[in-house]
Amino acid sequence: MISLPSAVRAFLCTRSVDMRKSFDGLSGLVEECFRQDLLDGHLFLFVNRRRDRIKALYFDHDGLAIWYKRLEVGCFQVPDAGDRDGIELDAAQLAMILSGIDPKTARRRRRFRPAGPIPPKDEGNSSERDLHNSNDRV
């Protein structure tokens, strides 16, 4: 399992890529497919035609790094991107793809989401005091 900082975004090139490409070839695809700057530190993923190999390219503080995985059986299930060459993945989608779970058949359960942005707490407003930590009796 790969653990990524929250600031790192993951992008997947949905067209098949020649896995003989290395740093320079994949760097060119980052510009072409994603219109992103490679030096921003994001994770860029590429799969081959058979979808049994995946490469991840990223900038690691002082240089480029490549992570490469070859499946012995099966293939990576890539989400449908329509006519786009690249898509952005969230952490859950990335984990599913690398773990062999088909994102098309996986179902996201309903979860609570606030209706809008949560306003910051006003420390000076007595109506929004934390009653659990106050000495006042209710």
Side-chain angles (χ1 to χ4, degrees):
M1 182 65 169
I2 294 177
S3 176
L4 298 175
S6 60
V8 173
R9 297 163 59 193
F11 297 93
L12 173 71
C13 182
T14 54
R15 66 181 188 200
S16 47
V17 173
D18 182 357
M19 286 291 121
R20 293 175 294 181
K21 288 186 186 282
S22 189
F23 296 101
D24 295 332
L26 294 176
S27 297
L29 285 176
V30 168
E31 302 269 334
E32 187 180 325
C33 289
F34 307 114
R35 311 276 190 269
Q36 294 287 327
D37 184 13
L38 180 61
L39 303 180
D40 285 344
H42 300 306
L43 188 66
F44 300 97
L45 301 149
F46 305 92
V47 292
N48 65 339
R49 181 172 291 143
R50 292 185 312 210
R51 305 267 195 247
D52 65 342
R53 296 162 199 248
I54 192 166
K55 277 189 179 181
L57 176 69
Y58 59 98
F59 185 76
D60 185 26
H61 304 293
D62 58 355
L64 291 173
I66 291 180
W67 180 84
Y68 186 45
K69 183 172 183 176
R70 180 186 72 193
L71 296 177
E72 297 301 323
V73 176
C75 62
F76 293 104
Q77 296 298 316
V78 177
D80 184 31
D83 60 347
R84 296 175 297 168
D85 285 339
I87 58 172
E88 184 172 358
L89 303 173
D90 62 22
Q93 289 173 312
L94 176 60
M96 284 191 290
I97 290 169
L98 295 178
S99 299
I101 299 169
D102 185 357
K104 291 178 226 157
T105 59
R107 199 172 56 150
R108 196 176 289 266
R109 297 286 183 175
R110 196 169 62 143
R111 296 282 187 249
F112 171 77
R113 285 187 193 203
I118 299 172
K121 282 186 111 173
D122 184 16
E123 297 291 330
N125 190 348
S126 63
S127 65
E128 292 186 14
R129 285 185 297 180
D130 185 3
L131 295 178
H132 296 290
N133 294 331
S134 72
N135 292 329
D136 297 340
R137 299 279 181 207
V138 179

